[in-house]
Amino acid sequence: MTSLFDPIELGAIKAPNRIFMAPMTRARGTRDHVPTPMMADYYRQRASAGLIISEAVGITQQGLGWPYATGLWTREQIAGWRQVTDAVHDAGGRIIVQLWHMGRTVHSSFLEGERPVSASATTAPSHAHTYDGRQPYDEARHLHADEIPAIVSDFHQGALNALGAGFDGAQIHAANGYLIDQFLRDSANFRDDHYGGSIANRIRLLREVTEAVAEAIGADRTGVRLSPNGETQGVRDSDPLPLFAAALETLSEIGIAHLELREPPVDGTFGVGDMAPLAPQLRPFFKGPLILNSDFDAARADADLKAGVGDAVAFGRPFISNPDLPRRIAEGFPLASDDMATWFTQGPEGYLDYPAAL
């Protein structure tokens, strides 16, 4: 039976274990969205993960609306990420970038007064993080059909820039209520063109972006993240199983290297699904390695791998405060707790100062 410590091949990437580091926004970049030197130290500390999936990284300013998050569209940003990837590789690790377009969750203050874009003219619930504190989201304008090829091209260029920055591959962020998810699910997509309505139409942008990224860097270095079960940032679907089954079949046909499903359990501690995870039902529709994510501890992760629900598990918060998480799990060390108050601050506290187990 498969265990967390078995190696796994993810297309062109050979991972020594199945304890992956999940993407987590930590807000340690500059206001110009350039990675900082402390980020190289942070990721280097966690290089024992079977695979590091980077924090979400913006492909353009249009798609990036989180203070001190980083991008990958300027030379300075690419050079900053090169320092990070070099540090991880020097420590023996593997790292891919998560390519991000936030869609309607970008506040207009990041866009010089322009409105954010989405599948349809909708507004995200709650408030956006901005440089001036929390502010209500703006109503997004719907993307015209003739604008969508530029979005696809931005993902293609972001993937090329990722190779230039030294990443081992890329994961397309198609989850968590961001732009591609806004096209996928019927609570945010009210279009009546060939990007809306039917399941085949709503997965069209996902397919086009994935094909573009695979063309840029190879399908064997391309992954996707989806969030099938329940609502995230006001985005949900009235009938998710057939939608995501069709999405997984499409991604499987493209031949991507791996797929991650972020699915909070109904009794989750950070994010709560309004239905049980759909991974067991969706598993037959994707032929490649399947990565599970959200609220896993080692015991639950090991059980799901042994049951064949997934092939690896991406841990998020445990990696914040346990940089040597694979060793701690292997040797039975207790896990340190993290401090939520330092998740998004700009300094080293709560970022670089969690020690490895003695």
Side-chain angles (χ1 to χ4, degrees):
M1 290 188 292
T2 301
S3 83
L4 288 168
F5 297 97
D6 289 331
I8 183 173
E9 290 194 11
L10 307 156
I13 299 172
K14 295 182 179 179
N17 64 65
R18 301 177 186 226
I19 301 171
F20 294 178
M21 179 174 165
M24 292 178 287
T25 297
R26 300 301 309 276
R28 260 63 178 196
T30 71
R31 286 184 71 122
D32 292 323
H33 308 298
V34 176
T36 54
M38 79 171 75
M39 292 173 59
D41 293 334
Y42 169 77
Y43 282 104
R44 181 194 294 112
Q45 290 175 352
R46 290 152 179 81
S48 64
L51 177 69
I52 294 173
I53 308 171
S54 82
E55 62 202 71
V57 178
I59 55 172
T60 59
Q61 185 61 76
Q62 181 198 64
L64 182 56
W66 190 282
Y68 302 105
T70 63
L72 201 56
W73 68 86
T74 71
R75 290 181 180 178
E76 293 78 13
Q77 293 164 353
I78 294 168
W81 273 111
R82 170 60 82 167
Q83 294 181 22
V84 175
T85 61
D86 283 349
V88 171
H89 292 148
D90 288 347
R94 296 135 301 277
I95 182 170
I96 64 173
V97 68
Q98 187 183 67
L99 299 175
W100 199 23
H101 192 303
M102 296 171 62
R104 72 181 190 178
T105 63
V106 177
H107 190 265
S108 61
S109 61
F110 291 89
L111 305 174
E112 297 184 351
E114 294 291 324
R115 288 167 62 191
V117 298
S118 187
S120 301
T122 59
T123 306
S126 189
H127 293 75
H129 291 271
T130 78
Y131 288 114
D132 298 312
R134 301 297 294 273
Q135 297 190 46
Y137 284 106
D138 306 289
E139 182 182 68
R141 67 172 184 84
H142 85 279
L143 279 162
H144 296 286
D146 61 4
E147 295 179 283
I148 292 176
I151 300 286
V152 176
S153 179
D154 290 337
F155 274 98
H156 180 273
Q157 186 61 53
L160 291 176
N161 292 348
L163 287 188
F167 284 101
D168 298 304
Q171 182 193 69
I172 299 160
H173 199 341
N176 297 14
Y178 296 120
L179 181 67
I180 297 175
D181 204 22
Q182 293 160 26
F183 273 79
L184 283 174
R185 299 201 272 180
D186 59 17
S187 73
N189 185 340
F190 307 117
R191 302 177 71 95
D192 58 7
D193 63 4
H194 59 295
Y195 287 95
S198 69
I199 286 175
N201 284 352
R202 284 184 281 131
I203 67 175
R204 189 181 305 275
L205 180 61
L206 171 65
R207 176 175 58 78
E208 291 178 348
V209 167
T210 305
E211 289 174 341
V213 170
E215 190 278 330
I217 64 173
D220 61 348
R221 296 188 181 276
T222 300
V224 171
R225 183 187 232 207
L226 297 171
S227 51
N229 76 321
E231 178 270 335
T232 310
Q233 300 194 96
V235 176
R236 69 183 311 277
D237 196 79
S238 60
D239 194 8
L241 187 57
L243 168 65
F244 285 98
L248 265 63
E249 287 183 321
T250 297
L251 297 173
S252 196
E253 290 169 3
I254 295 170
I256 63 171
H258 46 87
L259 172 68
E260 181 188 11
L261 298 182
R262 179 191 179 271
E263 297 195 281
V266 293
D267 58 350
T269 60
F270 185 71
V272 178
D274 60 9
M275 64 184 72
L278 297 177
Q281 296 157 272
L282 291 171
R283 185 68 185 94
F285 296 97
F286 184 71
K287 304 308 179 187
L290 183 65
I291 305 165
L292 307 177
N293 171 260
S294 201
D295 238 325
F296 278 87
D297 59 18
R300 179 180 164 222
D302 193 57
D304 276 13
L305 263 58
K306 283 181 167 59
V309 178
D311 301 292
V313 175
F315 293 84
R317 286 166 291 145
F319 261 114
I320 290 178
S321 50
N322 300 277
D324 56 340
L325 183 64
R327 178 182 169 227
R328 287 179 183 250
I329 292 175
E331 300 185 20
F333 287 108
L335 300 188
S337 299
D338 62 281
D339 179 7
M340 187 175 180
T342 61
W343 282 3
F344 306 125
T345 54
Q346 281 65 70
E349 182 183 0
Y351 192 64
L352 300 181
D353 55 357
Y354 291 107
L358 298 177

